[in-house]
């Protein structure tokens, strides 16, 4: 018998314990009959993050991920979602594939990750080759993101690292602060703009920017949730959060 509330699918989501955005974002996008259940990856709230400390902090989150996987598997989900994106970009496409293998070997079920979800989202739109992206990360991590997208066949024209000072500070970046960043990234030489970093709230702003710029603007939380739904054969269209969820 199916789960009474999650009669179509039960998702298990792994997210950093400092992340306050990905869970409400996914809830906004959730069709009836789908439930999502969160397993917190223990993450000390690093203060005064720098280029030097960012990578070690992300590595710690990666090391703690499989424990969160084991925890959420006790609710018997149908599919897993990685609600943190940085670790899925490390070491390019090969690193993303390796991360998927590790999680699937530990869980025995499929997993959606942010990096490959963004690639699938970009490929859903015809003719996207040249991209720009923004993140709450530091330059050392943006280099990994650029490497990943290059491995996947995209040309990275421009990028911006917001260099947030702590993990929780990411959730305090306002849409008003992000508008000029998007404007600086856009141009005739860019086919699409991507936002990475799941604790950066951008699903609504990305949808508005897509209308204004007349090109795809992909928020990673929207892309990740979309990918998880489609991976389970759930074709519901969710309006108000951009073309990806409305059309593809």
């Amino acid at each position: 018998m199916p789960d009474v509330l999650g009669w179509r699918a039960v998702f298990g989501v792994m997210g950093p314990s400092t992340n306050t955005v990905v869970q409400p974002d996914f809830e906004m996008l959730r069709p009836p009959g789908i439930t999502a259940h969160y397993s917190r990856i223990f993450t000390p709230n690093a203060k005064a993050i720098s280029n030097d400390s960012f990578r070690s902090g992300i590595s710690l989150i990666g090391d703690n991920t499989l424990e969160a996987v084991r925890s959420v598997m006790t609710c018997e989900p149908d599919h897993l979602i990685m609600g943190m994106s940085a670790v899925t970009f490390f070491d390019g496409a090969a690193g993303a594939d390796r991360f998927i293998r590790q999680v699937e070997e530990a869980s025995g079920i499929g997993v959606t990750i942010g990096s490959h979800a963004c690639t699938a989202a970009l490929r859903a739109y015809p003719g996207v080759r040249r991209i720009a992206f923004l993140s709450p990360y530091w330059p050392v991590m943006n280099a990994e993101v650029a490497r990943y997208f290059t491995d996947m066949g995209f040309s990275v024209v421009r990028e911006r690292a917001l260099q947030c000072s702590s993990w929780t500070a990411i959730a305090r970046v306002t849409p008003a602060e992000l508008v000029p960043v998007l404007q600086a990234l856009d141009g005739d030489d860019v086919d699409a703009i991507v936002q990475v970093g799941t604790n950066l709230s951008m699903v609504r702003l990305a949808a508005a920017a897509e209308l204004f710029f007349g090109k795809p603007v992909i928020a990673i939380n929207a892309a990740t949730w979309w990918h998880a739904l489609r991976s389970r054969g759930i074709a519901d269209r969710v309006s108000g959060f951009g073309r990806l969820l409305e059309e593809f």
Side-chain angles (χ1 to χ4, degrees):
M1 294 294 292
D3 186 281
V4 171
L5 298 182
W7 49 272
R8 300 172 73 194
V10 173
F11 290 151
V13 183
M14 299 80 68
S17 54
T18 51
N19 190 310
T20 57
V21 167
V22 70
Q23 183 172 350
D25 270 5
F26 285 175
E27 285 298 305
M28 284 192 292
L29 305 174
R30 185 172 61 85
I34 314 295
T35 59
H37 308 279
Y38 291 78
S39 186
R40 310 297 280 179
I41 304 167
F42 177 70
T43 309
N45 185 26
K47 304 289 186 178
I49 295 174
S50 68
N51 225 12
D52 293 332
S53 65
F54 190 96
R55 187 175 184 117
S56 61
I58 295 299
S59 295
L60 176 62
I61 297 172
D63 292 342
N64 291 338
T65 296
L66 290 184
E67 184 59 35
V69 171
R70 285 188 285 272
S71 178
V72 81
M73 283 305 298
T74 61
C75 77
E76 300 185 352
D78 303 303
H79 188 77
L80 296 178
I81 304 173
M82 184 58 178
M84 187 268 192
S85 61
V87 295
T88 74
F89 288 104
F90 269 134
D91 296 328
D97 290 341
R98 184 169 57 251
F99 182 87
I100 287 176
R101 285 195 302 271
Q102 290 171 343
V103 173
E104 290 185 344
E105 286 172 4
S107 66
I109 61 175
V111 60
T112 287
I113 65 172
S115 56
H116 281 355
C118 285
T119 291
L122 289 167
R123 290 175 176 168
Y125 294 86
V128 173
R129 296 291 181 270
R130 304 164 301 168
I131 67 170
F133 74 87
L134 71 148
S135 81
Y137 307 149
W138 284 68
V140 67
M141 187 62 224
N142 266 30
E144 296 287 342
V145 177
R147 174 185 174 185
Y148 168 83
F149 281 123
T150 300
D151 283 353
M152 300 308 290
F154 300 100
S155 174
V156 178
V157 177
R158 278 182 291 281
E159 48 89 9
R160 172 76 181 275
L162 299 180
Q163 301 184 36
C164 292
S165 60
S166 71
W167 302 132
T168 52
I170 296 171
R172 298 171 188 147
V173 178
T174 67
E177 293 173 285
L178 292 169
V179 168
V181 177
L182 290 169
Q183 291 172 329
L185 289 172
D186 188 36
D188 292 340
D189 55 348
V190 170
D191 301 319
I193 299 172
V194 182
Q195 170 260 319
V196 303
T198 63
N199 206 27
L200 188 64
S201 181
M202 250 195 71
V203 292
R204 292 186 185 278
L205 177 60
E210 190 169 66
L211 293 173
F212 185 81
F213 292 136
K215 64 184 62 174
V217 180
I218 295 171
I220 194 164
N221 288 346
T224 302
W225 186 258
W226 167 83
H227 185 275
L229 291 176
R230 302 302 183 257
S231 295
R232 295 296 302 173
I234 299 165
D236 293 46
R237 271 38 178 173
V238 182
S239 60
F241 298 97
R243 289 180 59 200
L244 183 67
L245 282 153
E246 290 178 351
E247 298 181 18
F248 302 109

